[in-house]
Amino acid sequence: MANLIERHREKIVGVLSCFDRLVLQGTLPSVAYPQAVATELDRRDIRLFDYAKQFALPFREAIRARTEQLAAQEGVEIEYIQRMKTFRKEDRIQQILAARGNRPGLVHIFSAMEPCPTYEPWHDKKTGCTFIRRDRGKCLHYYFYFIDEMLGLCFLSVPTWCPFRALFYLNGHNWLASKLRSANISYDLQDNAFAAIDDWDKAQQLSDRLMVKQLHTRLDAAVARYLPDLESLGRYHWSILQAEYATDIVFRSAEDLAPLYDHLLRTAIHAVKVGDVATFLGHSPHRIGERETGGDFSIRRHGLRLEGTRIRHYLGPASIKMYDKHGFILRVETTTNDVTFFRRHRMVEQRDGQRVFKLAALRKSIYSLSPDLASISRAANDRYIQFLSSIDDPTPGVKALSKISESVEEREHRYRGFNLFDDEDQTLFEVLCRAEFFIHGFRNRSLRQHLKQFRPSQISRLLKRLRLHGIIKKVGNTYKYYLTQLGRHVAIAGLTLKNMFLVPEFARAAIAY
């Protein structure tokens, strides 16, 4: 990460990593699954077949009546959305905020008919058993948009039918902004990105000290205010449904970022492979399994206005993307729709009751946000930026190509140079450019796995050639090698020049001929 930033230090205002978009899911354990509903009905002395009439329906009517009462008290409208797919709630909220201002409190309420999970009583004639089973249906959903003093603009969404599974949205940049205000640090927050902060280092420290307990308190307070009629069903348990963690490199102007971003974007489209994506996200390239993998490029628009471009690389439920925010912020962002994709060493309680410290998937609980998910996501961003650093400036590599093409001698043995137009040499450098080798280094056996056409003795001689030309270096008292700075410049610059410029140019010349 430092390479790219140090190289453009005079053009950079600051760097900041923090959570961006967060969507949390609230579940009521007392009605979270069919057996729990049956137990709750029994506790209330309600027959299973009276589930809808005597249990779910009264809650629905209470939520609707309380929402209408709240809207009247606050002087806000309950706006019914006829077609959710063609309606942008965020645009409507921005219109309201432009007239209302950003003072804390309820902003607006939306309502819409949407699909939701539910239950139904069922009698099995074969077994003679009556029970509650899962079902799907549609019900009215409410979206309470409000401004919280600590969390900024948020919304709480809840269906009016059991199991009342809630959603809570917030943005980590707004959360950090409240911390900066408390610390008397001036800032300029544009949309969901900081364009300026008086003390970037202090801001990063505040971001790293995110207190999930405070968030939990705010979640419970929102439920108590907007959904008090569900209090008898117990306290909501909150889990992470979606999470985005962004690293922003803020440039002084769009003119400073534009040429660099254009180069990084074009090169990353061709340079990043599936194995690289796995490495960025902390997974072994050899254990991808059947997860869906790939990448895409898109142009971001807001109406008719062009906002910028974005490249995204994904592996299963996680992805890492790069885009230009507001034209002068280079943002790298790790996102996930399932935090169990990531793993860390933690205490795990096994089925026999024993607790062991082992590598395990992250829990979905909101208490995995910090420090676990934050540190994992930031490390993924750093790995991607480190990869970008190697393709940032190919000029030194161009100058070094002539050096590595010459033969060298050691003890009267001549070792020929490297030619990237030679198929074997090109294949070798493509392997050396793998992301996991940039980060973790490689061994003789690592190359054998990817260069199966070479015998072990040939691999050993390749390593000797690479070392004598200054392309790799060996770690003391180990069998591990790393690319030197020269090696990185040569590998990236050589392959980039050949694949992106020379080959296409020769192809056009051949067609013209």
Side-chain angles (χ1 to χ4, degrees):
M1 180 176 177
N3 292 339
L4 185 149
I5 294 173
E6 290 178 359
R7 190 176 298 135
H8 302 278
R9 174 58 65 184
E10 72 283 356
K11 302 177 182 178
I12 294 174
V13 175
V15 181
L16 180 70
S17 297
C18 74
F19 279 109
D20 189 39
R21 172 186 171 90
L22 287 174
V23 181
L24 310 176
Q25 180 173 266
T27 305
L28 291 168
S30 61
V31 290
Y33 53 95
Q35 294 84 348
V37 176
T39 301
E40 185 67 19
L41 292 176
D42 183 64
R43 189 179 70 84
R44 294 170 180 259
D45 198 22
I46 298 175
R47 295 172 60 248
L48 293 184
F49 274 95
D50 291 331
Y51 154 77
K53 184 177 181 180
Q54 296 187 24
F55 183 75
L57 187 60
F59 278 110
R60 185 190 72 179
E61 297 305 318
I63 293 173
R64 294 181 67 172
R66 185 62 64 97
T67 302
E68 292 172 358
Q69 179 185 4
L70 179 65
Q73 291 175 350
E74 297 288 338
V76 302
E77 175 189 358
I78 301 178
E79 183 175 355
Y80 181 75
I81 303 174
Q82 190 72 36
R83 296 181 179 179
M84 285 289 287
K85 292 185 178 179
T86 59
F87 186 87
R88 282 185 57 85
K89 298 189 292 295
E90 292 76 11
D91 291 346
R92 178 74 176 114
I93 292 298
Q94 291 305 318
Q95 293 175 1
I96 295 172
L97 290 175
R100 173 192 180 276
N102 292 320
R103 67 181 183 277
L106 184 63
V107 175
H108 198 60
I109 302 175
F110 292 108
S111 64
M113 289 294 294
E114 294 183 283
C116 66
T118 185
Y119 306 111
E120 67 171 351
W122 186 259
H123 179 74
D124 191 331
K125 295 181 179 179
K126 292 183 179 180
T127 62
C129 296
T130 301
F131 52 89
I132 296 290
R133 72 176 187 177
R134 296 184 187 276
D135 195 14
R136 295 289 300 178
K138 269 191 172 184
C139 74
L140 188 71
H141 287 62
Y142 286 115
Y143 290 81
F144 300 92
Y145 277 80
F146 60 95
I147 294 179
D148 182 89
E149 293 180 353
M150 177 181 292
L151 306 179
L153 180 64
C154 310
F155 77 72
L156 174 66
S157 169
V158 66
T160 56
W161 200 258
C162 187
F164 310 111
R165 194 170 295 163
L167 292 180
F168 190 95
Y169 163 85
L170 71 148
N171 191 288
H173 288 87
N174 294 331
W175 190 354
L176 180 57
S178 70
K179 299 291 186 182
L180 293 173
R181 288 194 298 271
S182 299
N184 294 319
I185 298 175
S186 299
Y187 63 88
D188 177 16
L189 182 62
Q190 298 184 16
D191 190 10
N192 63 334
F194 289 99
I197 299 177
D198 279 356
D199 191 336
W200 290 92
D201 292 336
K202 181 63 175 179
Q204 187 62 63
Q205 293 173 17
L206 292 172
S207 175
D208 294 340
R209 292 201 300 264
L210 181 150
M211 299 297 292
V212 182
K213 286 186 178 180
Q214 294 179 356
L215 171 62
H216 201 165
T217 300
R218 294 286 172 167
L219 294 173
D220 290 343
V223 170
R225 173 165 175 74
Y226 300 111
L227 304 171
D229 301 286
L230 298 179
E231 184 179 1
S232 63
L233 295 177
R235 189 183 183 188
Y236 269 102
H237 287 198
W238 296 96
S239 58
I240 306 167
L241 189 63
Q242 298 175 9
E244 297 179 348
Y245 190 89
T247 296
D248 289 349
I249 304 175
V250 184
F251 283 74
R252 297 188 182 279
S253 67
E255 290 73 20
D256 288 330
L257 174 59
L260 169 65
Y261 177 70
D262 181 62
H263 169 68
L264 294 178
L265 187 68
R266 288 186 291 108
T267 310
I269 290 173
H270 297 276
V272 177
K273 304 297 188 296
V274 172
D276 301 331
V277 180
T279 304
F280 298 148
L281 296 172
H283 279 244
S284 169
H286 310 296
R287 297 180 181 178
I288 295 176
E290 297 181 356
R291 290 190 177 98
E292 183 180 2
T293 62
D296 57 61
F297 170 81
S298 63
I299 298 175
R300 306 192 319 279
R301 297 181 181 274
H302 184 73
L304 298 177
R305 179 165 56 89
L306 177 65
E307 288 191 333
T309 55
R310 185 209 69 181
I311 183 173
R312 181 176 72 103
H313 319 279
Y314 58 87
L315 173 61
S319 67
I320 191 162
K321 53 189 176 183
M322 175 183 70
Y323 56 99
D324 51 337
K325 186 78 174 176
H326 302 311
F328 63 91
I329 300 175
L330 177 63
R331 171 168 289 183
V332 173
E333 191 170 69
T334 295
T335 68
T336 179
N337 295 322
D338 182 2
V339 297
T340 61
F341 171 86
F342 297 112
R343 298 185 300 167
R344 65 174 291 270
H345 284 89
R346 62 178 177 85
M347 294 300 298
V348 177
E349 185 172 344
Q350 303 188 118
R351 292 183 178 180
D352 58 5
Q354 291 186 343
R355 291 173 58 83
V356 297
F357 188 75
K358 59 184 291 189
L359 186 65
L362 280 188
R363 297 185 181 96
K364 291 187 177 182
S365 166
I366 59 169
Y367 287 92
S368 292
L369 282 172
S370 180
D372 295 339
L373 183 59
S375 60
I376 290 173
S377 299
R378 185 174 179 181
N381 290 350
D382 288 352
R383 284 190 286 266
Y384 189 77
I385 295 174
Q386 181 63 41
F387 183 84
L388 294 178
S389 297
S390 65
I391 62 176
D392 172 19
D393 182 11
T395 304
V398 175
K399 295 179 180 179
L401 283 176
S402 59
K403 178 180 178 181
I404 62 105
S405 64
E406 299 174 355
S407 299
V408 296
E409 289 188 9
E410 184 189 57
R411 298 176 183 176
E412 299 183 355
H413 288 281
R414 180 174 292 275
Y415 295 85
R416 65 182 179 86
F418 293 93
N419 178 8
L420 270 73
F421 282 90
D422 179 81
D423 288 341
E424 289 187 354
D425 287 353
Q426 180 184 5
T427 302
L428 170 64
F429 277 88
E430 287 176 349
V431 171
L432 293 176
C433 285
R434 295 178 64 88
E436 68 265 31
F437 292 168
F438 273 71
I439 299 167
H440 304 298
F442 57 91
R443 304 185 182 195
N444 186 305
R445 65 183 181 185
S446 304
L447 293 184
R448 291 203 304 268
Q449 293 175 354
H450 300 283
L451 300 172
K452 298 184 183 299
Q453 70 273 31
F454 292 100
R455 297 189 304 275
S457 59
Q458 291 178 304
I459 296 292
S460 298
R461 186 170 178 84
L462 279 176
L463 290 172
K464 185 69 174 290
R465 287 174 60 202
L466 290 167
R467 189 165 55 81
L468 289 177
H469 280 86
I471 297 172
I472 64 173
K473 61 181 178 181
K474 188 175 182 180
V475 180
N477 300 320
T478 71
Y479 295 100
K480 185 176 290 188
Y481 297 88
Y482 280 91
L483 282 172
T484 62
Q485 185 174 4
L486 169 67
R488 292 192 179 206
H489 285 312
V490 168
I492 295 296
L495 294 177
T496 299
L497 286 172
K498 178 180 178 181
N499 293 330
M500 295 185 62
F501 299 101
L502 297 180
V503 171
E505 187 64 30
F506 289 161
R508 284 192 291 269
I511 293 174
Y513 179 78

